[in-house]
Amino acid sequence: MTEPTLTLHGLRLSGHSHRAELFLSLLGLPYRFAESGADVRASAPFRQLNPLGQIPVLVDGDVVVADSNAILVYLARRYAPAGEWLPDAPDAAAQVQRWLSVAAGEVRYGPALARLMALFGAQANRAAVEATAARILDFMEGHLGERAYLAAAHPTIADVACYAYVAHAPEGGVSLEQYPAIRAWLRRIEALPGFVPMPASPVPEAA
C-alpha cells in the first residue's frame, strides 16, 4: 500500500485538529495522523514545521500548512477546486470567511474555552466565557433557523470549522438543549459521507 503523502500533526481531543481531520475525511483523502503532545510540540523537528509550536499542522509533500482554518482553505483549493467547499463568488466567499472568523473568535473563546476549563483546567473568567458562549449560540440558533448550513445552501468549510467545539459544548458545561436548530445542523454535518467524530469526553454534572 502506498504511504499517504498527507500527514496531519495534531491531538485527537483537539477541536482545532478535528477540523482538519474531518475535512480530510469528507474529501476522501488518505492521510497519516501524528499524535503531537506537548513533548512533541516542543521538539526541534516540530518547531521547524511550526515555530509557534501549535497544532494542527498539515504536511503535504513539500508543503507545510499551520493553523486549522488555513488548512481548511488549503485543502479546499488544492483538492476541491470546483469551489463547493470554498466558493469563488465574492459574496459567498465572504460568508465563509465570516464564519471562519467566528470559529477563531466567539466559538474559540466561548464553547471551546469552556471545554478547556472543564477538561484540562484552563484558567479564565467563567462568567465571561459563558456569556460569550451564550451570545454566539443564540446567534447561530437564529441564523440556522432560516437555513440548513452556515454560509451557503450546502456544506462549506465554514460548517467544518464551527462543528467540533459546538458539538462538544456540553463537555464544557454549555448545554445545547435550548438550541434545536443548532442540534439539527449538527445532525446534518454528522450525516455527511465521510464524517468522523471527535472522541467524546465526560459531560460535567450540573451544579
Side-chain angles (χ1 to χ4, degrees), residues 125-206:
N125 183 311
R126 181 71 195 188
V129 171
E130 289 181 349
T132 299
R135 184 167 64 251
I136 190 55
L137 292 174
D138 286 346
F139 175 72
M140 290 181 71
E141 178 70 14
H143 184 77
L144 288 165
E146 302 175 354
R147 52 186 57 80
Y149 299 100
L150 292 175
H154 53 80
T156 68
I157 60 172
D159 302 286
V160 178
C162 291
Y163 170 80
Y165 287 126
V166 174
H168 289 258
E171 295 172 4
V174 177
S175 175
L176 298 178
E177 286 301 314
Q178 64 187 34
Y179 302 112
I182 289 177
R183 298 199 311 272
W185 167 71
L186 293 174
R187 291 192 295 270
R188 284 190 286 273
I189 302 303
E190 292 158 3
L192 294 174
F195 173 82
V196 290
M198 184 167 74
S201 296
V203 175
E205 294 183 5

Side-chain angles (χ1 to χ4, degrees), residues 1-157:
M1 181 179 294
T2 304
E3 184 74 14
T5 62
L6 290 159
T7 298
L8 179 64
H9 299 262
L11 290 172
R12 295 290 187 186
L13 290 178
S14 163
H16 286 72
S17 296
H18 183 260
R19 289 174 191 166
E21 186 172 17
L22 173 57
F23 197 37
L24 285 163
S25 185
L26 291 173
L27 293 175
L29 298 172
Y31 64 94
R32 182 176 71 89
F33 190 94
E35 191 80 10
S36 302
D39 55 338
V40 172
R41 300 196 303 274
S43 68
F46 188 90
R47 291 303 175 104
Q48 289 182 337
L49 298 176
N50 184 1
L52 296 178
Q54 298 169 339
I55 53 168
V57 176
L58 179 73
V59 179
D60 184 5
D62 295 330
V63 177
V64 178
V65 186
D67 181 86
S68 59
N69 287 343
I71 290 170
L72 297 183
V73 171
Y74 171 79
L75 290 173
R77 284 288 180 253
R78 174 70 177 83
Y79 293 103
E84 180 175 336
W85 289 99
L86 179 55
D88 290 323
D91 56 342
Q95 288 300 314
V96 170
Q97 180 57 60
R98 181 195 191 192
W99 286 100
L100 295 184
S101 296
V102 167
E106 290 86 352
V107 170
R108 164 68 179 85
Y109 293 103
L113 185 50
R115 180 175 174 270
L116 279 175
M117 294 173 70
L119 297 182
F120 306 108
Q123 298 299 307
N125 183 311
R126 181 71 195 188
V129 171
E130 289 181 349
T132 299
R135 184 167 64 251
I136 190 55
L137 292 174
D138 286 346
F139 175 72
M140 290 181 71
E141 178 70 14
H143 184 77
L144 288 165
E146 302 175 354
R147 52 186 57 80
Y149 299 100
L150 292 175
H154 53 80
T156 68
I157 60 172

